[in-house]
Amino acid sequence: MEENTKEDQIFDLTGGLLCLDFANTMDDRADEHPQELLVSYGDLVAWSSQAQLLTEQEARQLLEKAEKHNSETNRVLKRAVEVREAIFRIFKAVAESESPEDEDLVRLSTLVAEAQEHARIVPGTHGFHWDWAGTGSELDCMLWPVVHSASDFLTSDELDTVRVCASDTCNWLFIDTSKNHSRRWCNMKSCGNREKARRFYSRKKSSESTVS
Ligand SMILES: [Zn+2]
């Protein structure tokens, strides 16, 4: 159990929505040295587990399958990163009141249509609900709910709540659910404080250079 708890905390899921958390699997995107968090297929599975898209057993099944299908696994990882970048560009544009690229919208639409082929209506405790057939057996199964989340949000009336972190380098996306719509940072503890410290020192530096 302890091992799982550790694994659960690898990623910072502060975006407030599945597709935004997925877009945030790249650190310091606007920096000279952005940090890719999805380096391996194992990272993709770890993120999906933490985002509760996979059960422990499904994650294990995928990792076992991945070992036997190296080239397909690499293709899925490459595709996951492409999907993530399209999602990032779309919602960053929206957050900055710009129009997303047609190419990205077409890409997302195609992926949603593909994902939909795996959607099934299943009986639950109270009535029926949508579920995904093939979770834990298809290597790209985690991408289905991700693109679904992106298309759902993009066509919702909540879209004006999407924001880009105000830090110069971060570029993480999040939903601003604050009462006065004033949230500026993805995470106050990391980006908010870092940005405040940076401004403080740059003010200090410029006042020192004025004095001398
Ligand atoms: Zn940030």
Side-chain angles (χ1 to χ4, degrees), residues 165-167 170-172 185-187 190-192 194:
C165 179
S167 151
C170 174
N171 258 347
W172 270 23
W185 289 287
C186 65
N187 185 326
S190 51
C191 278
R194 193 167 57 184

Side-chain angles (χ1 to χ4, degrees), residues 62-91:
L62 286 178
L63 292 173
E64 278 168 17
K65 186 174 178 182
E67 271 185 33
K68 293 175 199 147
H69 300 84
N70 236 320
S71 57
E72 195 191 338
T73 304
N74 290 338
R75 251 198 321 274
V76 169
L77 179 64
K78 191 166 171 264
R79 191 155 181 243
V81 170
E82 283 169 8
V83 172
R84 180 193 67 194
E85 292 307 295
I87 289 175
F88 169 74
R89 286 191 296 267
I90 289 172
F91 289 107

Side-chain angles (χ1 to χ4, degrees), residues 63-200:
L63 292 173
E64 278 168 17
K65 186 174 178 182
E67 271 185 33
K68 293 175 199 147
H69 300 84
N70 236 320
S71 57
E72 195 191 338
T73 304
N74 290 338
R75 251 198 321 274
V76 169
L77 179 64
K78 191 166 171 264
R79 191 155 181 243
V81 170
E82 283 169 8
V83 172
R84 180 193 67 194
E85 292 307 295
I87 289 175
F88 169 74
R89 286 191 296 267
I90 289 172
F91 289 107
K92 181 166 185 280
V94 170
E96 293 174 341
S97 305
E98 286 170 12
S99 302
E101 297 288 334
D102 280 349
E103 199 184 319
D104 284 332
L105 293 177
V106 169
R107 185 171 303 165
L108 179 63
S109 310
T110 307
L111 291 165
V112 171
E114 282 173 23
Q116 206 55 36
E117 286 175 23
H118 304 272
R120 301 282 183 274
I121 294 171
V122 294
T125 331
H126 306 288
F128 298 83
H129 63 267
W130 283 102
D131 203 356
W132 303 101
T135 302
S137 60
E138 299 290 328
L139 288 171
D140 63 347
C141 62
M142 68 289 283
L143 301 182
W144 310 332
V146 168
V147 296
H148 193 257
S149 154
S151 72
D152 256 8
F153 184 45
L154 195 58
T155 54
S156 77
D157 54 8
E158 307 279 309
L159 192 56
D160 61 349
T161 58
V162 66
R163 303 277 183 275
V164 188
C165 179
S167 151
D168 287 341
T169 54
C170 174
N171 258 347
W172 270 23
L173 300 170
F174 62 89
I175 292 185
D176 180 9
T177 49
S178 64
K179 265 187 194 161
N180 50 359
H181 308 292
S182 60
R183 180 174 159 192
R184 299 188 58 211
W185 289 287
C186 65
N187 185 326
M188 192 60 209
K189 273 190 198 150
S190 51
C191 278
N193 288 340
R194 193 167 57 184
E195 192 68 7
K196 276 186 179 168
R198 194 185 64 78
R199 284 191 188 149
F200 173 76

